[in-house]
Amino acid sequence: AEVRPRKVIEDPYETAAKTASGVVASGAGKTGGLYMPPYKLAQMMSGVDDKASAQYQRMTWEALKKAINGLVNKVNVSNIKAIVVDLLKQNVIRGRALLVRSLMKAQGASPNFSRIYAALLAVINTKMPEIGEL
């Protein structure tokens, strides 16, 4: 009888810590950190059968990261309500560290929008207080 090795699902927080420390190349993954058109990414996602595989988990993690970063970068006074609704549609419980990191980077890049980022986080914190624990 052939013994198959068990598939190990990587912890995204551990992977992020390794990437930040330089242990793992930041471009690790199928796309190599390069831009991939959405139709090609969807085609790759449909090709993965096992949702527990490391490749699928990495791809969904990257998609969540891109979605959260995109929404945080788009927020302003006039569209904050729509952005909050869109953020709550994402898996922000799983990606709460991504959300906080994205908000911190955005605030560092444009301090003039600090009030808007604080308001965004305050609204999300009222809906999901566990995010504010970070």
Side-chain angles (χ1 to χ4, degrees):
E2 181 180 345
V3 178
R4 290 185 174 176
R6 292 184 60 184
K7 292 184 180 180
V8 178
I9 298 174
E10 293 182 17
D11 180 22
Y13 297 108
E14 184 178 310
T15 304
K18 286 179 183 177
T19 303
S21 65
V23 175
V24 176
S26 62
K30 192 82 170 182
T31 64
L34 300 174
Y35 171 76
M36 179 174 284
Y39 72 92
K40 280 194 175 185
L41 188 61
Q43 188 178 24
M44 282 179 55
M45 292 282 280
S46 66
V48 177
D49 296 331
D50 185 17
K51 292 190 176 188
S53 70
Q55 178 187 8
Y56 182 81
Q57 293 293 322
R58 189 174 297 115
M59 288 169 61
T60 55
W61 182 256
E62 289 297 322
L64 179 63
K65 182 178 175 182
K66 284 181 182 180
I68 289 174
N69 283 336
L71 289 170
V72 167
N73 289 335
K74 276 196 263 183
V75 72
N76 59 38
V77 175
S78 62
N79 69 355
I80 192 166
K81 183 178 178 182
I83 295 294
V84 167
V85 171
D86 289 343
L87 269 173
L88 293 175
K89 288 180 184 176
Q90 300 296 323
N91 191 356
V92 251
I93 298 298
R94 180 180 181 211
R96 63 185 181 199
L98 292 174
L99 175 63
V100 172
R101 191 176 303 122
S102 179
L103 282 167
M104 287 172 41
K105 281 184 179 179
Q107 192 271 334
S110 54
N112 295 339
F113 283 92
S114 293
R115 295 174 296 155
I116 296 166
Y117 298 134
L120 176 69
L121 192 57
V123 172
I124 290 175
N125 197 30
T126 60
K127 303 292 182 192
M128 299 179 192
E130 56 271 8
I131 292 177
E133 293 173 1
L134 284 180

